[in-house]
């Protein structure tokens, strides 16, 4: 194994010196995994994720991980990291669009089993017809699995969020999986300056003794233990036990808010919150919206931007407060269903919310498309 | 871990735990011949009368070479209803993903306990192993994972009410095969052998001593060499609609005892005197 | 058109199902039940866990000292105080676990009439549990009802299962729940301490003894 120094998570995330590198998103992922002191990586190829897990394989070969292999398919990969996490290991895996769907049964299973797995989702469109291009419709499906969901705008955020994800996921009061999502190609294959922490400093190892559920190693009591027990009787209390279990998983996500505030700073980033027209966006749509808002402001339109970084737990309170005053809210998205618009609409006066513009199937979102919607709105409000 | 009660709590634990500590099988290298003389690591469970599968699990548990360091991975099915009653750490994740879960688990335990053998044993039904989980079963063999896979072959989906599986025999009428199954029983023994299992065996609970020998061999070979597979024929009285009192006779009549071992496995088994 | 079922829903039921923070109650209190058909997880009602050195009383953050005093008072005032030790203290897996078990037994001795009923594991027990000899996280209410337990203390239970049990107890019984947690605590208990180790249990025992002597 590579000789490295274990450092305090808060130091690593906030204070450690940073070196500038010119990286694509997938390279930033491997750089994060290198510093996360991951025990086991399990991979399966799919565009646009593959390169990230190639690179994780490379750092395994260099001695940064203790084990790594290519699984039979995404369901097998996600099941293997579950088994490893139940055995007390820190794990990493990643996938994209169709792979997410192939593996989907595991995501609520991870959350229900209280496993602090970190998984990167390099979002892409799903069949049919086949596309390998950027489209983040899968986030809309992942939102209700019980996992925490972060959405990175660029390679820098992808790097930071992955490290933050491990620290937050493994808090004993949280201890649920985190999906760190980034829009395929726009982030995974775009080269940008990424400031990374020193290569020889890493997070402390995962401590399974603090897990809210017994680790499956035959060293942790009770020995008469199944992960995870189900109550098979048909009566009120059996159903109530399952309902309480589900509530506890959601409660764990609620508890993560405090740790998100500590390690991510905030679930949102706001520019000009008192604007008449407020844009709400996440991922690369936020980057495009930022340009559009700047141009709108130059044209004399009172526009602002809320970038949503954390999709689960959704920043309810912040969004509710921010949506009170603007006359109109615009939600540009890289998917056809408008999952972010749905989230915003359910937390405010929905008549103010204009879901769009939306592009998908690989289409880019030129700032002009957003700007033209802002201008249309400015005319009618 | 050999369980020990914290001082002062000996009297408050329920009797089945006190017995487990005083008279359990952990660290004692007990055998099937000792059944009846020690506290077994299995409690009362709700499986049907005349269930050959539950008898098989009882025998498997009694055959484990190191119950104190064994983790069982099950899957959805009749087995999963019994599993919560085992005094051995065990996992239920999804239907069919047991060999993938076991792969990750085994690798994690190798990392965490480099100087100790932690035996990971998959115990799953025929539907879980040969149908829905076949790719994950076979790939764990291709990858040469150090795990033992035990299939409880009751020739159908019993927990869901008696449907045909690929392990059902040709011509048998079950749910979802209303005109009789149209193709023969899947040859899992041969598949396991050709997929890289170092030790493959077929047996039934009607031959308990033989079952014990095969389970022990499979686990010891998995530790040192690579994947192993044991197929246990355990017919289902409920869905095949025979009297529970006939179970053992039927099991005996139809059991096929087979064994394959690679040359490495043979050498190891001989060396260990197993 | 409204669905007719809405007519039958009580305010309490509706509130308990509004899981998002938007609808969380400003005044939600974690108090003895029976609370609801399906009681909410306290964390989803805006209750947050204490920081180091703090405790929780009925959802309010207080100092650890105040929480300890409150625990002592509740235990000494109880008709039928009961301690539920979990696997992490029942089993002698480490010196720490044994020391904790011993300290907890000293605490039990300090409370007149306090009983011990273990939570030895988390399995759905078949065919049924005997509520006189154990408590099960899947149906903890049975043990509370059967033994008429009015105040209980959890320690050594894995956090996930402790929360399930605490919530079900609040949902269906009027038992006052206390959690001595080795991790960050339990919002679903009426009183919770966090980071509880041997010395903290000894301190709690001293508080109990002091209050008991004072009331004589």
């Amino acid at each position: 194994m590579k000789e490295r120094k274990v450092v305090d998570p808060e130091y690593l995330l906030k204070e450690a010196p940073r070196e500038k590198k010119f990286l694509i998103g997938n390279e930033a992922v491997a750089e994060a995994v290198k510093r996360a002191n991951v025990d086991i990586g399990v991979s399966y190829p799919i565009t646009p994720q593959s390169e990230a897990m190639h690179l994780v394989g490379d750092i395994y070969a260099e001695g940064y991980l203790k084990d790594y292999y290519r699984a039979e398919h995404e369901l097998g990969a996600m099941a293997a990291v579950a088994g490893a996490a139940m055995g007390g290991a820190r794990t990493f895996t990643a996938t994209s669009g169709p792979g997410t769907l192939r593996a989907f049964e595991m995501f609520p299973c991870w959350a229900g089993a209280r496993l602090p797995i970190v998984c990167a989702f390099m979002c892409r469109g799903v069949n049919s017809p086949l596309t390998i291009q950027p489209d983040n419709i899968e986030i809309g499906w992942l939102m209700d699995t019980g996992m925490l969901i972060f959405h990175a705008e660029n390679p820098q955020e992808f790097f930071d969020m992955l490290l933050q994800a491990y620290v937050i996921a493994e808090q004993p009061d949280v201890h649920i999986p985190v999906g760190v999502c980034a829009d395929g190609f726009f982030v995974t294959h775009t080269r940008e300056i990424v400031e990374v922490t020193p290569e020889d400093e890493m997070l402390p190892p995962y401590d399974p003794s603090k897990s809210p559920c017994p680790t499956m190693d035959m060293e942790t009591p009770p020995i008469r233990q199944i992960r995870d027990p189900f109550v098979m009787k048909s009566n009120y209390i059996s159903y109530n036990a399952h309902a309480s279990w589900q509530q506890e998983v959601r409660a764990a996500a609620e508890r993560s808010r405090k740790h998100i505030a500590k390690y991510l700073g905030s679930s949102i980033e706001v520019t000009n919150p008192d604007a008449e027209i407020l844009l709400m966006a996440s991922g690369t749509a936020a980057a495009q919206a930022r340009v559009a808002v700047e141009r709108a402001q130059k044209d004399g339109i009172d526009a602002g931007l809320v970038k949503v970084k954390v999709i689960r737990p959704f920043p309810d309170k912040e969004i509710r407060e921010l949506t009170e005053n603007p006359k109109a809210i615009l939600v540009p998205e890289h998917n056809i269903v408008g999952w972010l618009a749905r989230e915003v609409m359910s937390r405010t006066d929905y008549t103010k919310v204009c879901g769009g513009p939306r592009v998908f199937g690989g289409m880019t979102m030129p700032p002009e498309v957003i700007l033209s919607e802002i201008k249309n709105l400015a005319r009618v409000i | 871990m050999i369980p020990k009660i914290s001082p002062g709590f000996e009297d408050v634990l329920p009797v089945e735990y006190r017995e487990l500590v005083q008279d359990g099988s952990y660290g004692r290298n007990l055998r099937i011949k000792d059944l009846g003389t020690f506290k077994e690591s299995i409690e009362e469970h709700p499986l049907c009368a005349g269930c050959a599968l539950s008898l098989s699990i009882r025998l498997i548990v009694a055959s484990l070479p190191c119950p104190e360091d064994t983790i069982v991975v099950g899957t959805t099915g009749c087995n999963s209803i019994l599993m919560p009653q085992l005094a051995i750490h065990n996992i239920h994740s999804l239907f069919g993903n047991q060999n993938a879960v076991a792969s990750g688990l085994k690798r994690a335990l190798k990392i965490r306990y480099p100087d100790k053998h932690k035996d990971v044993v998959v115990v799953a039904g025929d539907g879980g192993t040969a149908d829905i989980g076949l790719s994950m079963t076979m790939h764990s063999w291709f990858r040469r994972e150090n795990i033992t896979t035990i299939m409880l072959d009751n020739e159908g989906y019993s927990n869901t009410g008696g449907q045909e599986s690929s392990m059902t025999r040709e011509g048998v009428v079950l749910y979802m095969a209303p005109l009789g199954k149209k193709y023969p029983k899947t040859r899992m023994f041969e598949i396991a052998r050709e997929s890289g299992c170092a030790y493959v065996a077929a047996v039934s609970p009607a031959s308990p001593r033989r079952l014990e020998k095969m389970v022990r061999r499979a686990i010891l070979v998995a530790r040192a060499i690579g994947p192993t597979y044991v197929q246990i024929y355990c017919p289902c009285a409920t869905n095949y609609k025979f009297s529970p009192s006939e179970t053992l006779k039927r099991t005996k009549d139809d059991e096929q005892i087979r064994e394959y071992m690679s040359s490495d496995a043979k050498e190891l088994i001989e060396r260990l005197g197993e | 058109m409204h669905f007719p079922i809405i007519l039958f829903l009580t305010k309490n039921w509706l509130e308990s199902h509004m899981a998002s923070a938007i609808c969380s109650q400003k005044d939600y209190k974690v108090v003895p039940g029976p609370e609801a058909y399906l009681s909410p997880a306290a964390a989803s009602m805006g209750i947050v866990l204490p920081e180091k050195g703090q405790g929780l009383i009925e959802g309010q953050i207080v100092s650890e000292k105040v929480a300890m005093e409150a625990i002592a008072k509740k235990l000494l005032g109880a008709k039928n105080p009961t301690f539920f030790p979990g696997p992490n203290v029942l089993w002698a897996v480490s010196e720490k676990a044994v020391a904790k078990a011993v300290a907890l037994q000293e605490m039990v001795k300090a409370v007149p009439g306090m009983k011990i009923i273990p939570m030895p594991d988390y399995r759905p027990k078949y065919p049924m549990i005997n509520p006189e000899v154990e408590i099960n996280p899947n149906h903890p209410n049975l043990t509370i009802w059967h033994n008429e337990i009015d105040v209980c203390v959890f320690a050594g239970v894995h956090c996930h299962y402790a929360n399930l049990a605490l919530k079900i107890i609040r949902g269906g019984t009027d038992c006052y729940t206390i959690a001595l947690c080795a991790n960050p605590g339990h919002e679903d208990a009426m009183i919770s301490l966090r980071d509880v180790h041997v010395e903290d249990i000894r301190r709690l025992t001293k508080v109990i003894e002091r209050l008991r002597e004072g009331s004589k």
Side-chain angles (χ1 to χ4, degrees):
Chain A
M1 290 305 295
K2 206 92 174 167
E3 277 294 308
R4 287 179 296 160
K5 194 165 65 177
V6 167
V7 295
D8 178 65
E10 218 169 343
Y11 158 83
L12 188 73
L13 298 179
K14 293 179 180 172
E15 295 155 29
R18 298 258 178 165
E19 183 196 345
K20 283 185 182 166
K21 287 195 166 194
F22 195 43
L23 303 176
I24 61 167
N26 279 339
E27 290 167 347
V29 169
E31 292 299 326
V33 172
K34 198 186 252 186
R35 289 152 180 84
N37 197 2
V38 170
D39 294 311
I40 302 180
V42 184
S43 61
Y44 189 78
I46 188 168
T47 306
Q49 167 273 132
S50 302
E51 195 176 9
M53 289 311 285
H54 303 169
L55 295 167
V56 171
D58 290 351
I59 60 171
Y60 157 71
E62 290 169 31
Y64 286 96
L65 280 83
K66 300 187 185 86
D67 203 349
Y68 170 92
Y69 74 96
R70 193 255 328 136
E72 52 274 66
H73 42 53
E74 288 88 353
L75 180 59
M78 304 303 165
V81 291
M86 285 183 188
R90 183 179 287 157
T91 62
F92 181 70
T93 186
T95 191
S96 295
T100 302
L101 288 184
R102 179 70 56 99
F104 210 84
E105 200 181 356
M106 279 314 297
F107 302 127
C109 186
W110 286 353
R114 303 292 300 267
L115 301 175
I117 293 164
V118 174
C119 179
F121 294 94
M122 288 68 164
C123 303
R124 100 173 213 197
V126 298
N127 303 16
S128 277
L130 183 144
T131 171
I132 60 163
Q133 298 300 337
D135 184 322
N136 59 34
I137 190 167
E138 68 201 89
I139 299 178
W141 295 321
L142 286 165
M143 282 193 311
D144 294 322
T145 54
M147 294 173 72
L148 304 186
I149 304 290
F150 301 166
H151 196 181
E153 180 189 332
N154 50 41
Q156 179 70 60
E157 237 174 30
F158 213 6
F159 172 85
D160 288 328
M161 280 180 170
L162 282 165
L163 282 172
Q164 290 155 345
Y166 279 106
V167 178
I168 294 163
E170 291 173 9
Q171 296 294 326
D173 54 334
V174 180
H175 223 274
I176 49 175
V178 183
V180 182
C181 306
D183 300 336
F185 291 102
F186 297 145
V187 175
T188 57
H189 288 63
T190 304
R191 201 166 287 283
E192 288 183 22
I193 298 285
V194 180
E195 298 188 349
V196 300
T197 56
E199 218 168 47
D200 60 349
E201 293 183 348
M202 62 176 178
L203 290 177
Y206 169 58
D207 177 5
S209 76
K210 295 216 173 286
S211 166
C213 295
T215 307
M216 291 292 97
D217 51 11
M218 225 27 202
E219 301 288 340
T220 312
I223 48 167
R224 202 185 297 281
Q225 171 71 20
I226 183 170
R227 289 293 306 267
D228 292 294
F230 34 90
V231 185
M232 289 133 319
K233 291 173 191 170
S234 300
N235 56 29
Y236 161 77
I237 195 68
S238 300
Y239 307 146
N240 187 261
H242 199 284
S244 297
W245 189 297
Q246 291 189 47
Q247 287 174 314
E248 171 56 15
V249 174
R250 265 65 187 177
E254 284 301 314
R255 290 183 208 116
S256 74
R257 290 182 191 278
K258 165 164 108 175
H259 306 291
I260 287 169
K262 182 171 172 186
Y263 296 107
L264 255 87
S266 169
S267 297
I268 52 168
E269 277 172 21
V270 192
T271 321
N272 195 16
D274 300 321
E276 283 198 325
I277 299 173
L278 198 58
L279 278 77
M280 299 213 162
S282 69
T284 53
Q288 304 305 88
R290 189 175 298 113
V291 177
V293 163
E294 280 163 13
R295 290 196 198 156
Q297 285 171 339
K298 272 191 198 139
D299 291 348
I301 298 171
D302 186 15
L305 171 67
V306 179
K307 175 177 133 180
V308 185
K309 290 164 31 177
V310 177
I311 310 300
R312 283 290 180 273
F314 197 72
D316 306 277
K317 189 165 162 279
E318 295 89 334
I319 298 297
R320 194 171 72 245
E321 282 166 11
L322 283 162
T323 50
E324 246 164 48
N325 295 325
K327 289 186 176 152
I329 296 149
L330 199 60
V331 190
E333 289 184 70
H334 274 290
N335 65 75
I336 194 169
V337 299
W339 50 260
L340 184 59
R342 276 197 310 238
E343 292 293 298
V344 174
M345 283 167 123
S346 70
R347 284 154 178 93
T348 189
D349 170 8
Y350 68 89
T351 59
K352 291 203 291 194
V353 182
C354 305
R358 288 179 200 152
V359 294
F360 28 88
M363 288 177 69
T364 55
M365 176 136 45
E368 292 75 18
V369 174
I370 306 174
L371 184 62
S372 118
E373 292 294 328
I374 297 175
K375 286 184 172 166
N376 286 340
L377 273 180
R379 272 195 292 275
V380 295
I381 57 170
Chain B
M1 177 179 76
I2 296 178
K4 218 177 110 200
I5 301 172
S6 290
F9 283 136
E10 294 89 349
D11 294 340
V12 303
L13 274 172
V15 64
E16 76 266 19
Y17 271 114
R18 294 203 301 267
E19 288 173 357
L20 208 55
V21 171
Q22 286 155 12
D23 205 17
S25 63
Y26 310 106
R28 292 172 62 192
N29 199 20
L30 295 171
R31 299 299 183 95
I32 281 188
K33 67 174 166 46
D34 303 310
L35 277 173
T37 67
F38 66 95
K39 169 69 180 172
E40 293 175 56
S41 300
I42 184 169
E43 285 302 322
E44 191 174 349
H45 57 77
L47 295 193
C48 308
C51 173
L53 180 146
S54 64
L55 174 60
S56 302
I57 296 179
R58 185 179 173 201
L59 296 175
I60 292 166
V61 168
S63 305
L64 297 173
C66 278
E68 65 278 12
D69 281 312
T70 302
I71 298 95
V72 172
V73 182
T75 194
T76 317
C78 291
N79 77 83
S80 61
I81 296 177
L82 181 151
M83 293 291 189
Q85 313 305 335
L86 290 192
I88 288 172
H89 277 179
N90 67 98
I91 294 174
H92 172 271
S93 176
L94 296 177
F95 191 23
N97 72 355
Q98 60 280 354
N99 281 56
V101 169
S103 301
L105 176 70
K106 178 69 192 184
R107 287 163 182 259
L109 297 174
K110 272 188 194 173
I111 292 171
R112 289 188 59 222
Y113 301 98
D115 306 322
K116 220 171 179 180
H117 288 299
K118 291 280 180 187
D119 296 324
V120 173
V121 180
V122 173
V123 178
D126 48 301
T129 306
D131 289 358
I132 193 170
L134 182 61
S135 73
M136 287 176 270
T137 306
M138 286 178 65
H139 276 272
S140 73
W141 296 340
F142 298 160
R143 287 193 304 265
R144 308 294 193 266
E145 301 283 353
N146 290 102
I147 59 178
T148 298
T149 304
I150 301 178
M151 180 212 273
L152 302 169
D153 177 17
N154 57 12
E155 302 191 323
Y157 290 84
S158 293
N159 195 39
T160 43
Q163 296 84 9
E164 167 235 289
S165 84
S166 72
M167 295 301 284
T168 303
R169 283 177 247 181
E170 191 164 8
V172 171
V173 175
L174 283 172
Y175 289 126
M176 299 189 182
L179 300 175
K181 188 172 179 242
K182 305 267 189 189
Y183 61 98
K185 191 173 170 83
T186 300
R187 295 170 65 180
M188 283 300 287
F189 186 99
E190 289 77 7
I191 290 174
R193 190 184 61 208
E194 298 306 318
S195 302
C197 285
Y199 177 85
V200 183
V203 69
S204 88
S207 304
R209 296 282 178 97
R210 190 107 54 154
L211 184 148
E212 171 187 56
K213 183 174 261 215
M214 288 173 161
V215 167
R216 282 181 65 90
R217 284 178 170 185
I219 291 172
L220 296 170
V221 170
R223 262 187 209 171
I225 298 172
T228 57
Y229 174 66
V230 182
Q231 183 169 314
I232 300 180
Y233 171 60
C234 42
C236 170
T238 303
N239 289 305
Y240 276 81
K241 300 185 172 50
F242 56 83
S243 160
S245 60
E246 286 174 42
T247 299
L248 270 182
K249 188 184 173 309
R250 282 193 174 238
T251 308
K252 190 80 201 161
D253 288 350
D254 283 2
E255 89 173 334
Q256 290 187 353
I257 294 179
R258 298 172 72 188
E259 196 175 37
Y260 156 82
M261 54 189 94
S262 68
S263 50
D264 287 356
K266 190 164 194 273
E267 194 192 313
L268 178 82
I269 288 166
E270 278 167 8
R271 182 152 44 85
L272 296 175
E274 289 287 333
Chain C
M1 199 187 102
H2 290 289
F3 291 102
I5 192 160
I6 298 293
L7 299 173
F8 299 109
L9 303 181
T10 63
K11 182 171 168 285
N12 191 20
W13 193 94
L14 280 170
E15 284 175 354
S16 72
H17 281 69
M18 293 173 174
S20 79
I22 288 181
C23 309
S24 73
Q25 278 65 56
K26 286 187 199 81
D27 305 319
Y28 185 77
K29 281 200 173 61
V30 184
V31 290
E35 183 178 12
Y37 179 65
L38 175 60
S39 55
S44 297
M45 305 303 278
I47 306 297
V48 293
L49 289 172
E51 294 297 324
K52 281 189 194 308
Q54 297 177 326
L56 263 184
I57 300 181
E58 299 179 3
Q60 295 287 316
I61 289 181
V62 295
S63 74
E64 186 188 74
K65 198 171 158 234
V66 170
M68 276 198 184
E69 296 268 336
I71 291 170
K73 271 186 207 152
K74 274 286 163 195
L75 287 175
L76 292 171
K79 280 196 196 115
N80 195 2
T82 305
F83 172 43
F84 297 137
N88 287 329
V89 294
L90 287 168
W91 296 101
V93 281
S94 63
E95 283 176 21
K96 224 165 80 179
V98 171
K100 221 167 157 179
V102 171
L104 286 163
Q105 288 161 26
E106 285 163 9
M107 178 198 79
V108 170
K109 279 190 200 119
V111 181
M114 193 169 194
K115 273 197 312 198
I116 301 178
I117 297 179
M119 185 184 280
D121 59 35
Y122 311 130
R123 71 185 150 137
K125 195 165 180 180
Y126 185 82
M128 61 199 331
I129 64 146
N130 180 350
E132 273 182 39
V133 301
E134 64 184 308
I135 180 164
N136 188 286
N138 303 299
H139 32 64
N141 50 331
L142 299 180
T143 298
I144 305 283
W145 287 336
H146 177 84
N147 298 290
E148 297 178 358
I149 296 165
D150 57 340
V151 178
C152 70
V153 175
F154 279 69
V157 179
H158 283 87
C159 290
H160 179 81
Y161 294 97
N163 274 333
L164 295 196
L166 289 163
K167 200 185 78 64
I168 294 171
I169 291 173
R170 205 171 74 238
T173 82
D174 61 355
C175 181
Y176 200 94
T177 53
I178 296 164
L180 308 180
C181 178
N183 281 327
H186 293 280
E187 326 86 346
D188 285 309
M190 277 128 230
I191 308 181
S192 174
L193 292 178
R194 56 168 292 166
D195 307 312
V196 176
H197 302 297
V198 176
E199 55 280 20
D200 308 291
I201 300 164
R202 296 235 162 88
R203 272 165 53 221
L204 175 62
T205 305
K206 288 218 170 80
V207 177
I208 295 169
E209 285 166 351
R210 174 167 54 76
L211 289 190
R212 197 185 61 201
E213 293 308 311
S215 66
K216 270 184 187 166

